[in-house]
């Protein structure tokens, strides 16, 4: 099972964000994960639609996907802003959407791919009625709000269960993204469990090695795990 990497800009050097993003695209990634935080749903504040607009021209150069993870209260308020700014995919937390079906339809009507996500302790049953309407399911393997946290091991079983839930509904084409604590140790097991895109922040953007080297190490680790 091959896995794509979606670097999370939350871990990037924001003083040279364009350069860091280009490094990731030049190394072959075709996803970019924009972690949007409002200081209310999660205890951190990060980026707004203007960052998506600034990155859109670079993503266009590489035909890359700008994937917005909205960790914000009442996301319906900002769907149009993020899609107009250039988001290709918009993922909302089930915990923030009392009218989830309407929110998902709204994202699709705006022209973006709708995704849903849920916190590590939110029961997967919350996904059951919406799996037929989304293009992406994002499974959190850390508590949302910060990069650099440790992977929550229970996430592996959740990936496998969501994969089965999708198969049972003939929705095998839905992207299964995993997000949080993904590194050379965890990327293999999450790929094996069925994740098709791994969001990676601090294991891509850090002072230990250049972006391209970190991405290569992650891809090698995923392949090696597969052959084990
Ligand atoms: C956390 C975010 C994640 C995070 C990943 O709330 O949703 O995308 O940036 O960062 P790492 O890979 O460092 O755990
Ligand atoms: Zn994220």
């Amino acid at each position: 099972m091959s896995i794509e990497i979606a670097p999370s800009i939350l871990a990037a050097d924001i003083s040279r964000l364009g350069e860091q993003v280009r490094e990731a695209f030049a190394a072959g990634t075709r996803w970019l994960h924009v972690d949007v935080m409002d200081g209310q749903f999660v205890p951190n504040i990060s980026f707004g639609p203007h960052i998506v607009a600034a990155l859109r021209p670079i993503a266009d150069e590489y035909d890359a996907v700008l994937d917005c993870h909205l960790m914000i209260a009442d996301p319906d308020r900002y769907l149009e802003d993020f899609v107009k700014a250039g988001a290709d995919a918009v993922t909302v937390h089930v915990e923030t959407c009392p009218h989830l079906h309407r929110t998902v339809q709204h994202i699709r009507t705006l022209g973006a791919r709708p995704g849903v996500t849920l916190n590590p302790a939110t029961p997967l049953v919350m996904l059951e009625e919406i799996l037929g309407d989304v293009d992406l399911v994002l499974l959190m393997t850390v508590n949302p709000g910060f990069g650099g946290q440790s992977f929550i091991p229970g996430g592996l079983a959740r990936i496998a269960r969501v994969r089965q839930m999708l198969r049972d509904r003939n929705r095998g084409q839905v992207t299964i993204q995993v997000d949080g604590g993904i590194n050379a140790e965890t990327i293999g097991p999450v790929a094996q469990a069925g994740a098709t895109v791994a969001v990676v922040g601090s294991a891509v953007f850090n002072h230990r090695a250049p972006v391209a080297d970190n991405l290569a190490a992650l891809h090698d680790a995923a392949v090696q795990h597969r052959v084990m």
Side-chain angles (χ1 to χ4, degrees):
M1 170 71 72
S2 69
I3 192 163
E4 291 189 75
I5 293 171
S8 163
I9 64 168
L10 190 70
D13 176 349
I14 302 303
S15 71
R16 54 191 190 92
L17 181 57
E19 196 184 313
Q20 292 250 272
V21 166
R22 284 183 192 282
E23 284 176 67
F25 289 151
T29 55
R30 289 298 175 264
W31 286 75
L32 194 68
H33 188 78
V34 181
D35 280 313
V36 180
M37 300 177 179
D38 65 354
Q40 189 180 340
F41 177 63
V42 293
N44 194 1
I45 296 177
S46 62
F47 312 115
H50 61 292
I51 291 289
V52 174
L55 295 174
R56 182 70 259 167
I58 304 173
D60 286 343
E61 281 177 46
Y62 292 88
D63 197 21
V65 172
L66 284 186
D67 152 40
C68 289
H69 175 193
L70 302 190
M71 290 163 274
I72 63 175
D74 191 6
D76 291 278
R77 295 171 297 161
Y78 296 105
L79 299 178
E80 194 158 350
D81 292 345
F82 278 98
V83 176
K84 274 192 177 153
D88 295 296
V90 176
T91 298
V92 291
H93 273 262
V94 298
E95 300 92 349
T96 64
C97 299
H99 302 286
L100 182 58
H101 182 273
R102 183 189 297 150
T103 301
V104 164
Q105 294 307 315
H106 188 189
I107 294 168
R108 195 178 291 287
T109 307
L110 288 167
R113 295 182 223 170
V116 287
T117 183
L118 61 188
N119 293 334
T122 300
L124 293 179
V125 67
M126 295 289 281
L127 296 175
E128 279 191 355
E129 306 304 328
I130 203 67
L131 287 178
D133 299 282
V134 296
D135 292 355
L136 181 149
V137 174
L138 167 60
L139 286 168
M140 293 305 297
T141 42
V142 294
N143 291 301
F146 299 93
Q149 300 179 79
S150 300
F151 179 82
I152 298 174
L156 283 179
R158 283 165 67 88
I159 296 167
R161 284 168 55 201
V162 166
R163 188 182 182 189
Q164 193 54 52
M165 288 166 77
L166 290 167
R167 279 184 172 156
D168 293 347
R169 292 163 177 76
N170 239 347
R171 299 282 291 154
Q173 76 280 16
V174 172
T175 298
I176 301 177
Q177 244 187 353
V178 63
D179 186 4
I182 304 302
N183 54 38
E185 285 67 47
T186 55
I187 193 166
V190 301
Q192 191 169 22
T196 52
V197 177
V199 174
V200 187
S202 52
V204 167
F205 299 114
N206 59 50
H207 297 295
R208 294 190 298 278
V211 169
D213 294 359
N214 287 330
L215 286 166
L218 286 159
H219 281 297
D220 290 351
V223 168
Q224 258 142 50
H225 185 85
R226 202 171 55 215
V227 301
M228 268 163 57

